[in-house]
Amino acid sequence: GSTGDKPAAGGSGSGGGLYTTIDGLKPGLDVNGPINPWNPKGNAFLGFNAMRIAWSKNHLTDPNQFYPGIAASWEIAPDNSSITLHLHPGNKWSDGKPVTAEDVKFSIALAYTQGSTAFAIDPGAAGAASEVEVVDEKTVKITQDMDNPSVTFVRGVMDSYIVPQHVWGSVLPADFWDKLKAARGEGAEAEKAREEITALSEKVLAFAPPKDVSAGPFTLERMNPSEALLVKNKNFYNAANVGPDQVKMLNYTGNEQIWNYLIAGKLDNAPFTAVPADVMKRITTTQGNGVVKGYSPVSLGMAFNQSKKPYDNVHVRRGLAYLINRDEVTKIASPEGGTPAVTTTGIHQKPAAEWLGADLAALEPYKLDVAKAEEEFKEAGLKKEGGKWTLPDGTPWKFTVNVPAPFSDWISGAKAVTSQLTAAGIDAEVVTTADYPLYLKELAEGKYDVGFWLIALGPAPYNIYQRLYGVSNGWSILGGKLKHAEPGKNGNWMGGPETIEVDGAKVNPGELTAKLNSASGDEQKKIIGQLAKAANQDLPVVQLWDYVNTQFVNTNRFTGFPENDSDLLRQPSGVWIQLGMVKKKQ
Amino acid sequence: MTMFARRLAGHLARGLVMVLVVTTVSFFVIRSVPGDPMAARYEKLVEQGMSPTAAQRAVEVLYGFAPTGSLWQQYVDYMSGLLRLDLGQSLMVPGVGVSTVLFSAAKWTVLPVLAGTLLSFLIGVVMGVYAAIRRSGRLGDVLAISGSLLHGVPQYVLALLLGAVFTTLIPILPTSGTADIMFEPGFNAGYIGSLIEYATLPVLTYALASYGGWILAMKSSVVTVLGDDFILAAELRGIKRGIVFRYVARNAILPLFTILALSLGMLFGGAIFIERIFNYPGLGLMLIDGINNRDYALMGGAFLLITVAIVVANIVADLFYSVIDPRVRSGEGAR
Amino acid sequence: MITGQNITKTFRQRGSVLAGREVKALRGVDFAIEKGGAVSFIGESGCGKTTLGRIIAGLESHDSGEITIDGVAMSSLKPRRRQPYFRRIQLIHQDPYSALNPTRTIHQTLNAPLALRARQTGRPSLWVDGRAEELLALVGLDPAYVLPRYPHQLSGGMRQRVVIARALTVDPEMLVADEAVSMIDVSLRLGILALLKDLRERLGVSVLFITHDVATARYIGDDGELYVIYRGQVVERGNVDTIISDPVHPYTQSLLSAIPVLHGLERPGEQPVVPTEALNESHHDAGCLFARRCPFRTERCESEQPLLGRGEGFPQEHACFHPERRSVVATPIGLG
Amino acid sequence: MTAPVIAAGGGRAALRRNFWRGVWRVLKRKPSRMVGMVIVLGFAFMGVFGPMFYPDPLPRDTAALYAPPSWEHPFGTDFEGTDVLALLVTGSRYVLLTALVTAVITVVVGAAIGLFAGFRRGRWDTVLMRITDMKLTIPGLPLLLVLSTIWKFTSALEMGLVLGLLGWGGVARAVRSQTLSLRERGFIEAARGLGLSTTHIIGRELLPSMAPFVAMNMLIAVTGAVYAQVGLFFLGVLPFEANNWGVMLNLAVFGGGAMSSPAALPYLMAPLLAILLLTLGIVLVVDAMDEIFNPRLREE
Amino acid sequence: MSVTPEKKAPGVRVSGLSVVYRTPAGELPAISGIDLELVSGTITGVVGESGSGKSTLALSLLNAVQSPGRISAGSVEIDGLGDVVRLRGEELRKARGRHIGYVFQAAQNSLNPLKTVGKQLLDLGRSHDVADLRGLVRDAKDLLGRMGMDGARVLDSHQHELSGGMRQRVGIMLALVLNAHLVVLDEPTTALDMITQATILRIVREVHQERGLTTLVITHDLGVVAEVADRLAVMYGGQVVEQGPTMEVLSAPRHPYTQGLLRAIPRLLGDIDEARALPGRPPTLGTIPAQGCVFRERCVLRMDVCETERPPVVVSGTSIVACHAVEAGAGAAAGDRPAAPAPVEVPEVVGAQSATGVHEGRGEQP
Ligand SMILES: Nc1ncnc2c1ncn2[C@@H]1O[C@H](COP(=O)(O)OP(=O)(O)OP(=O)(O)O)[C@@H](O)[C@H]1O
Ligand SMILES: Nc1ncnc2c1ncn2[C@@H]1O[C@H](COP(=O)(O)OP(=O)(O)OP(=O)(O)O)[C@@H](O)[C@H]1O
Ligand SMILES: [Mg+2]
Ligand SMILES: [Mg+2]
Ligand code: NI
């Protein structure tokens, strides 16, 4: 048979038609998985049948902006000390029962068993809630424990999944809240209570409701190993504005599948995927296909293990930065999914411009410059013999960069980097590692000289810089206290010094980073400026490219997709739909 | 019949020991797989925007399903679980039993591979006879060489070639999945048609890859039998050609049944490349996933399943042989 | 001098772990072979001739009994120490093709043991080539022709001669020729037999000749002894010619009666003996083993086992309760 | 007695000459064998000398990423603009070297175990064959997948070692049964009767008789090793540093989208065709193996 | 006997029969120009050494020479069938089994190992359109009983459940059960032991007489022929060198090969020193002289003419000899036992006359 005798995706479907997309949050759907948002292979699709209290706008600098989810509106206390949620007045679960404040409270109880920033059981955790209060049928107030506040508290609350208590009720014991109270205290009693709650976590994770009951725009109808079918939830509060009647959620194991679907014009939307240039060309020539690009809060860095020679020498790192042509690397490795980093700041270029303003331009851009590189290398004591660089003691310098084998864009990028370095007289090669877990383990054990490392994981400033000056570089926060571990210990594989010199002044970047947890406003901005400068001069990583959130949409069947640079590109398309954007094409 | 029972008992005893040893070996090999699945999951969560502390906590919860205790203790737990036919809990799909995961993946491996094997067996056997009869002619040569070539070429080469042709150059076949979700699963023409359509490429690859082996085996078997005296004797008695042909065919195909049974045993572990290339959600793909997620219980379960299948196939092959071959049936030993 | 006392051998065939089958190949055989003597074993297929020959040549173990070579009991030696003794006894295989390595030339085949011999006896390595030619000439082959060839380039008779030459490389005291001529073309058989006889006479090598063709046994030498073996037991033993002309055991008589008569040249024997049934290995072991097939059996035969011994005025030893001379073999017409 | 003495040395040289003449005859008998031989020799040449024809590192042309086939680039270029043919040729050394190492280890270990078990028989045989059974029961590819995360097969030698250690089972079993049947042949028994050493018997009598068999297994092991290795690289489970065919496949499919767009198709096809051609060559040569090592068939 | 012979035993006349095998060295004759008559109702024995073309001759009688061989000349006239060489397809198939019974050289393996004897018997019946299969089974049981076996049991047995002698008898039964009156037995007793051999030979003789057959027995063992055959043909190098009534040929051999052969057979009684091996070695396909006498290289009576001319056929009475020496009268004394002295040790090879190594059928068997 050919594709012709199958019902075309969407098209002639009744009502609002069929919307086809892919679950971008791997590990994806699994026929055996429970319909449970906490389960990593659970068949709860964010924004489609799995609902959060609200959806973050992922604003460049302000983490506290949201789109409504289960909550219709909210008030945040100015000092972030509490948040009051107001639920949609007439909202009902797909089985007809109303969505109540009790459901929210119960779901928060579940969140405690799973751990989250806002709902942590260990005392002293930063940004944890101290109280959850049902104000009335449709109102809940959550208060932060101000002993150790965090700017991420609100975001932590909003990110919670909300599930129906009448379905999940059996999972938690009746005295859960008492236990929780006990757990947040101190002493043996508390310890025991914490254990009990932890023990519940497995039960929660494994809980499999017999059928999907959702307050989202869709409910799960049926699935096979590669696809799931969702149908519209008539009880959803905004059901009238939900475009598609059905959603087909495809599973994928390799990017090449997404490419093929896209080329065939089968997908109404596909989340960000690395795409080779020619495939891109074919995709864009398919009728109706379009590409929407936006900010993706993540960058790729080439990180050094500073406990290894010669990478302990900042001049070597700078020299290497001068030798790498980031434009070319990006063109080869991620032509569609990335833009060459303007320089190394530790932040994605977009928020960097926002946070740093004019200071950004003052940072060293590390443009390709062989002369400068040689200067730096000479400063570091390296010698060039017969066209090849050697270490100060005359031994050959072998530059080895490690990347995990499944990440093809990283491999291409690393190959491009080594090719450039080889051309400049450095004996460079790429070594791959079988898979990501192994890569991370060996990286953490300090086995690699140089490795690829995701940085700038925004939007929260602490999250951004903890990639450079966090656990992987020795700094960890334990019980609210900052500690620094020796290189090679406690996951410190970057092995940078505890204090570095920035413009002649000594700075402890880890300390600065930790402060970002609670700092706000101008203070935050100042710290980020300092850290950006530190990263730019010290170069714990060479920032290669900033990811671009490249999404594919097809306007043959639906319209109303977010525009370029929309905040919503960082939310799953289920959120677009529930917000009433996506409409069937007339 | 006692002969048969004795044989069976012996086989079962040996098979059990085999399974035990293989399970033990694979247990320790699997547990020594390095790599930090927690770190990988953590990275993923952080990448998705979760705060580092929350991600850390979430990962700890997820890995609450991993067995604890010393390696030795884990081994004892695992083996005693096996006695109760409990293969443990999957880490990848937390809270779901390994046997459930295995079972749902196994059917997507077994059905296409079975179809491929039987298809290639039938065609291969027929062509093998032909190649044997025409062995001195050009056609026989071509058949034999193409058989060797197909037998020799690795599965992934065939899969990639077929994939390149049918999905890149002439995109007429789906490359991934099991069926179109729009069809209600069950016995309806649409669903079954879609199943067949989606399985075409994997089955075709598997059939092509094993076809070469069958043609070679059948050819050499037929050539051997044709050289046997009893065939000439039958001809000299004026036995009809059809009957002589049946003599040849039955005697020649007999050893192939053993190979067939054995290869059916192998099918559980046999399709990793095909499943990876066509993204067909069978055991192979599941195993790769299991390894990538360091799902020890799942890996162990897969190894066990494959081993048991091979052992059972061996037993079945032998017993089957002893049933259909009168020489073995009466305990004289195969020729 | 090589002797054996009460040699027994049972083969256990392993069917599966639990099932098994036993074959009693030898049931207490005594033998003695003089230096330079000739002994022939005859008997039906499967009676244990080859097994006995291989045991004597040290290629097979036996279950009980004792083999003595030059007065040394083999059981008193460690297996490693037995080797030099057994090397003096060389086996000539029935199939001259499989007895030669098809991938090695005759030159290579002969050189290996000769080089070993040279090393053991401290001879120069040049001796090896000369000796190879000498041996080939001794067995009646043209060294220049044979040496560079592969076995498949030689005829059966030539191969068998090469096999004999190879056995002679270690200066054996005894050759065990197991059906050494049965696969050789009729017109060439006598040549090999004559060669064996000649080697006996010239080199003093004793010959153990295993055959199912009684007539050939005569050609090893008229002083030869004949052992008639039935189901792992010697049933008659004595001078070759005596037994051929005057056999007393009914089994020997059946064997001899079965020899085809050259009508026109020979007259059939007057009292042929035909066994009453075919050989069946699974027949019970009590009494005389031949009883079931013996046309002259008495009740005693069914229950009691006759032992090999001389008696009742026959020159040969026999194991029968009712021995009787019968004229069973065909007589040449010319001899009347 | 007066026959001319054949000088041992001269005889041996003559034998060797005869052998090669026989090989030539066997090859000539069927044109397909010639083709096979040419292919196999071609690959050997490519592995040994191929990399010498190209500069190291290979030139890149970033203006022509995934260029289509042309006279200049018969198989186009890769993601970096490097000539695919050059990659294929330079990559062959690693692949073929590993394959050779693997094949040698497979055959040496397999043959040694098979010979030992078959020659010793008895308890050793039982134990070794049980182990072999076990080895054959443990699924190979899945085990390799797991092992490749435990060990890092960084050098060709290590890689060959692991593949070889996983692959000897079949060879061992086959060699054993060959040994068992040859053991029963008169000439082995005769050699033992003559008091020749076990080394002589195994090295000079048994092995030459099994030469075609062993050689055939060796060739098949070479292809098997190429496949296993290329396959593992293709799946991406092996760490790579130099370019090789498997990496090309991996990058073509997962990085270049060869299964989705025709641009990277030549990049994918090049290693595929190389593997097909190598297989064909070996299949054709294996066909002649039996006759080459059998003096009788050789000389006919 | 339930089977009463209604047909008369056919006579067979083989004339000018030649068979060639295709080898790398070209087409070589395995038998050439054989003339032989099987007189109706007699047992004819053919003896010859390995490779002399006996089996080839036997197969030619059924026009069943296997590729790469083919009958290149001559005819085989069988009474009631005509020239078998000319028969094709179904005609030929129907003739086999029904008119000509063939007992295989390796009768040990002439049965399908997967089927019981009875089933194979039914296959045979169906192949020859026997309407009364029950009757066929009855006949088979009778025949088997006649040969001293339990028919019912044998028909229920598989090949491996029967001993060598029993299989050979089953082979004979299958050759006769369709009432064939010409039976060809190729080495019926090779690989059997002596006592069984004697039994089989007795059965052959008895069955031959009872059923009124024309029988051809092929063997390399002169004793076997002498035991059963009325007439005897001696083959050498693909030719019949002497034939005649058994008694006559054995007591007064005229061809030097027959003489030599007789002298080379070990005998049970008599002077062992009289026996002599034949010098030289038997020819094989590649070494059979293309012209002249095939035996000349081993012949004591060799003359110049033997090199170039094929020996003429000398007929005297019922016996025929092909020899130049006999024709020239040199063989006049051949009636006596020749006592030509021969050296005890004859080197097998003289010079390089047989330098081409050609494998022999026999040696190939493992
Ligand atoms: N290796 C063995 N394993 C099991 N049984 C054996 C073995 N060798 C011999 N036998 C059995 O021992 C008995 C005697 O065998 P042997 O070969 O000695 O007989 P033979 O007299 O030489 O027979 P033939 O005349 O056929 O050569 C036979 O029943 C045979 O089946
Ligand atoms: N298929 C064949 N291909 C080539 N030559 C053959 C073939 N079959 C037989 N020959 C040759 O033909 C000649 C006669 O063979 P045939 O089998 O008739 O001999 P035979 O007298 O029956 O010998 P044996 O006693 O060994 O059975 C031999 O030289 C043999 O090598
Ligand atoms: Mg024997
Ligand atoms: Mg024959
Ligand atoms: Ni195979």
Side-chain angles (χ1 to χ4, degrees), chain B residues 73-87:
Chain B
Q73 185 58 43
Q74 288 183 29
Y75 175 67
V76 173
D77 289 348
Y78 183 66
M79 291 314 261
S80 61
L82 282 190
L83 283 184
R84 284 174 273 115
L85 296 181
D86 172 13
L87 302 180

Side-chain angles (χ1 to χ4, degrees), chain C residues 145-295:
Chain C
Y145 176 77
V146 171
L147 274 175
R149 277 169 217 267
Y150 285 99
H152 72 265
Q153 294 169 319
L154 305 178
S155 75
M158 292 163 88
R159 281 181 221 143
Q160 197 62 295
R161 285 168 195 261
V162 170
V163 170
I164 294 172
R166 182 182 59 190
L168 293 177
T169 54
V170 292
D171 303 323
E173 283 169 24
M174 179 157 102
L175 293 178
V176 178
D178 184 2
E179 314 250 7
V181 294
S182 64
M183 286 181 83
I184 311 273
D185 272 316
V186 202
S187 65
L188 304 174
R189 271 184 203 172
L190 268 184
I192 304 290
L193 292 173
L195 172 63
L196 288 175
K197 187 176 172 192
D198 187 51
L199 290 176
R200 259 191 79 202
E201 284 163 4
R202 282 213 272 170
L203 307 178
V205 180
S206 43
V207 172
L208 171 56
F209 193 72
I210 298 175
T211 182
H212 60 260
D213 181 0
V214 196
T216 52
R218 293 177 71 215
Y219 288 77
I220 302 301
D222 45 15
D223 57 339
E225 255 199 319
L226 187 66
Y227 287 59
V228 181
I229 305 181
Y230 180 66
R231 289 180 70 193
Q233 244 177 8
V234 177
V235 293
E236 189 161 355
R237 170 166 121 178
N239 180 275
V240 187
D241 287 328
T242 314
I243 293 189
I244 290 179
S245 47
D246 295 313
V248 297
H249 195 286
Y251 176 66
T252 315
Q253 291 162 357
S254 339
L255 270 184
L256 293 173
S257 308
I259 298 170
V261 181
L262 291 175
H263 293 281
L265 287 183
E266 294 171 338
R267 253 194 313 273
E270 278 135 32
Q271 302 157 281
V273 175
V274 179
T276 54
E277 40 180 283
L279 176 70
N280 188 343
E281 295 272 354
S282 57
H283 276 166
H284 66 285
D285 290 355
C288 174
L289 289 172
F290 190 60
R292 283 284 291 269
R293 305 172 68 193
C294 182

Side-chain angles (χ1 to χ4, degrees), chain B:
Chain B
M1 206 53 219
T2 49
M3 189 69 210
F4 186 85
R6 271 203 212 136
R7 248 185 139 86
L8 183 65
H11 276 311
L12 283 181
R14 232 175 307 150
L16 210 65
V17 173
M18 187 79 85
V19 168
L20 209 70
V21 174
V22 171
T23 314
T24 305
V25 170
S26 62
F27 176 87
F28 287 103
V29 168
I30 286 168
R31 287 306 144 123
S32 55
V33 170
D36 194 347
M38 294 176 71
R41 180 60 55 76
Y42 169 85
E43 282 289 308
K44 201 113 228 169
L45 291 175
V46 168
E47 215 178 296
Q48 283 163 13
M50 199 182 262
S51 82
T53 35
Q56 190 56 38
R57 176 78 183 99
V59 162
E60 275 162 23
V61 171
L62 280 177
Y63 282 82
F65 284 95
T68 49
S70 69
L71 195 60
W72 180 244
Q73 185 58 43
Q74 288 183 29
Y75 175 67
V76 173
D77 289 348
Y78 183 66
M79 291 314 261
S80 61
L82 282 190
L83 283 184
R84 284 174 273 115
L85 296 181
D86 172 13
L87 302 180
Q89 298 279 307
S90 164
L91 278 185
M92 204 163 67
V93 198
V96 177
V98 162
S99 38
T100 314
V101 180
L102 277 180
F103 182 76
S104 67
K107 63 175 181 260
W108 297 114
T109 293
V110 172
L111 290 178
V113 178
L114 194 67
T117 307
L118 294 181
L119 190 73
S120 66
F121 182 75
L122 290 179
I123 301 177
V125 159
V126 172
M127 297 312 265
V129 173
Y130 200 71
I133 292 171
R134 292 287 163 88
R135 66 184 172 285
S136 46
R138 169 144 310 167
L139 196 75
D141 260 4
V142 168
L143 274 178
I145 287 182
S146 67
S148 311
L149 194 64
L150 279 177
H151 180 66
V153 162
Q155 282 181 359
Y156 57 83
V157 169
L158 293 173
L160 287 174
L161 283 175
L162 285 179
V165 171
F166 290 109
T167 66
T168 309
L169 296 178
I170 331 167
I172 51 168
L173 286 173
T175 49
S176 53
T178 55
D180 196 300
I181 192 72
M182 298 324 291
F183 299 107
E184 183 92 42
F187 270 102
N188 55 72
Y191 179 69
I192 290 175
S194 161
L195 270 184
I196 292 174
E197 186 186 331
Y198 277 71
T200 305
L201 278 180
V203 169
L204 198 63
T205 314
Y206 202 84
L208 267 182
S210 49
Y211 157 82
W214 295 126
I215 194 172
L216 292 184
M218 190 63 187
K219 182 194 160 187
S220 81
S221 189
V222 169
V223 168
T224 312
V225 174
L226 279 178
D228 277 358
D229 290 328
F230 74 92
I231 296 298
L232 180 57
E235 273 171 19
L236 294 186
R237 284 189 199 116
I239 303 284
K240 277 187 184 147
R241 297 199 87 185
I243 299 180
V244 174
F245 184 80
R246 278 215 296 281
Y247 282 16
V248 175
R250 265 197 65 187
N251 276 279
I253 212 163
L254 210 60
L256 260 76
F257 276 123
T258 322
I259 312 179
L260 181 65
L262 294 183
S263 76
L264 289 183
M266 294 295 215
L267 62 77
F268 280 87
I272 289 180
F273 283 114
I274 293 178
E275 286 173 10
R276 177 68 190 88
I277 290 170
F278 297 121
N279 292 301
Y280 207 76
L283 276 175
L285 211 51
M286 186 214 67
L287 188 67
I288 294 181
D289 251 13
I291 294 174
N292 286 338
N293 287 287
R294 299 297 186 272
D295 194 338
Y296 303 116
L298 192 60
M299 282 189 260
F303 273 87
L304 184 70
L305 181 67
I306 297 170
T307 310
V308 168
I310 293 175
V311 167
V312 168
N314 269 305
I315 297 178
V316 168
D318 190 87
L319 294 182
F320 179 68
Y321 206 86
S322 74
V323 168
I324 57 173
D325 190 330
R327 287 161 295 193
V328 185
R329 193 159 56 209
S330 61
E332 286 269 315
R335 53 171 170 166

Side-chain angles (χ1 to χ4, degrees), chain A residues 206-229:
Chain A
F207 180 71
K211 79 181 219 311
D212 191 13
V213 177
S214 164
F218 300 98
T219 52
L220 182 63
E221 176 77 6
R222 63 166 179 267
M223 61 194 310
N224 70 23
S226 40
E227 291 161 322
L229 185 69

